Amino acid sequence: MSEDYGARIGRLSHEAATWRRKYREAQQMCASERMRRIQAENRAAALSVALRRLAEQCDGDGAQMV
Protein backbone atom coordinates (compact mmCIF):
# COMPACT_ATOMS: atom_id res chain seq x y z
CA MET A 1 0.00 0.00 0.00
CA SER A 2 2.81 2.45 0.80
CA GLU A 3 4.39 1.74 -2.61
CA ASP A 4 1.18 2.79 -4.36
CA TYR A 5 1.03 5.91 -2.23
CA GLY A 6 4.69 6.71 -2.97
CA ALA A 7 4.20 6.10 -6.69
CA ARG A 8 1.16 8.34 -6.71
CA ILE A 9 3.06 11.11 -4.93
CA GLY A 10 5.86 10.75 -7.48
CA ARG A 11 3.45 10.99 -10.42
CA LEU A 12 1.67 14.00 -8.94
CA SER A 13 4.98 15.69 -8.20
CA HIS A 14 6.11 15.11 -11.78
CA GLU A 15 2.80 16.39 -13.12
CA ALA A 16 3.06 19.52 -10.96
CA ALA A 17 6.58 20.17 -12.24
CA THR A 18 5.36 19.75 -15.82
CA TRP A 19 2.55 22.27 -15.30
CA ARG A 20 4.94 24.75 -13.64
CA ARG A 21 7.23 24.45 -16.67
CA LYS A 22 4.31 24.95 -19.07
CA TYR A 23 3.16 27.96 -17.05
CA ARG A 24 6.65 29.54 -17.23
CA GLU A 25 6.81 28.89 -20.98
CA ALA A 26 3.40 30.52 -21.46
CA GLN A 27 4.52 33.55 -19.43
CA GLN A 28 7.64 33.88 -21.58
CA MET A 29 5.59 33.62 -24.77
CA CYS A 30 3.23 36.33 -23.51
CA ALA A 31 6.16 38.55 -22.58
CA SER A 32 7.80 38.14 -25.98
CA GLU A 33 4.47 38.77 -27.72
CA ARG A 34 4.03 41.96 -25.66
CA MET A 35 7.55 43.00 -26.63
CA ARG A 36 6.81 42.39 -30.34
CA ARG A 37 3.61 44.43 -30.07
CA ILE A 38 5.42 47.31 -28.34
CA GLN A 39 8.15 47.26 -30.98
CA ALA A 40 5.54 47.31 -33.75
CA GLU A 41 3.76 50.24 -32.07
CA ASN A 42 7.07 52.09 -31.75
CA ARG A 43 7.87 51.50 -35.43
CA ALA A 44 4.40 52.70 -36.41
CA ALA A 45 4.83 55.84 -34.31
CA ALA A 46 8.26 56.51 -35.83
CA LEU A 47 6.85 56.07 -39.35
CA SER A 48 3.98 58.38 -38.53
CA VAL A 49 6.41 61.08 -37.38
CA ALA A 50 8.54 60.59 -40.50
CA LEU A 51 5.49 60.86 -42.77
CA ARG A 52 4.29 63.98 -40.95
CA ARG A 53 7.71 65.61 -41.41
CA LEU A 54 7.74 64.64 -45.08
CA ALA A 55 4.27 66.10 -45.52
CA GLU A 56 5.42 69.35 -43.88
CA GLN A 57 8.37 69.51 -46.25
CA CYS A 58 6.15 68.88 -49.24
CA ASP A 59 3.71 71.57 -48.13
CA GLY A 60 6.61 73.99 -47.74
CA ASP A 61 7.84 73.19 -51.26
CA GLY A 62 4.44 73.74 -52.78
CA ALA A 63 4.10 70.05 -53.74
CA GLN A 64 0.91 68.18 -53.12
CA MET A 65 0.52 64.97 -51.17
CA VAL A 66 -1.20 62.19 -53.07
Side-chain angles (χ1 to χ4, degrees), residues 35-45:
M35 185 58 71
R36 279 193 289 273
R37 188 180 68 236
I38 289 169
Q39 289 171 344
E41 290 170 356
N42 288 343
R43 283 192 299 270

Side-chain angles (χ1 to χ4, degrees), residues 7-65:
R8 185 169 183 204
I9 288 175
R11 281 193 306 274
L12 290 173
S13 177
H14 177 72
E15 186 176 342
T18 299
W19 282 108
R20 281 192 298 271
R21 180 181 51 81
K22 287 182 179 185
Y23 177 73
R24 279 192 307 271
E25 289 172 357
Q27 282 183 313
Q28 290 172 350
M29 286 175 48
C30 288
S32 64
E33 184 58 35
R34 267 194 306 272
M35 185 58 71
R36 279 193 289 273
R37 188 180 68 236
I38 289 169
Q39 289 171 344
E41 290 170 356
N42 288 343
R43 283 192 299 270
L47 285 172
S48 179
V49 169
L51 285 173
R52 194 174 312 118
R53 288 179 183 162
L54 182 60
E56 290 169 358
Q57 289 176 355
C58 289
D59 287 345
D61 293 342
Q64 292 181 350
M65 291 293 290

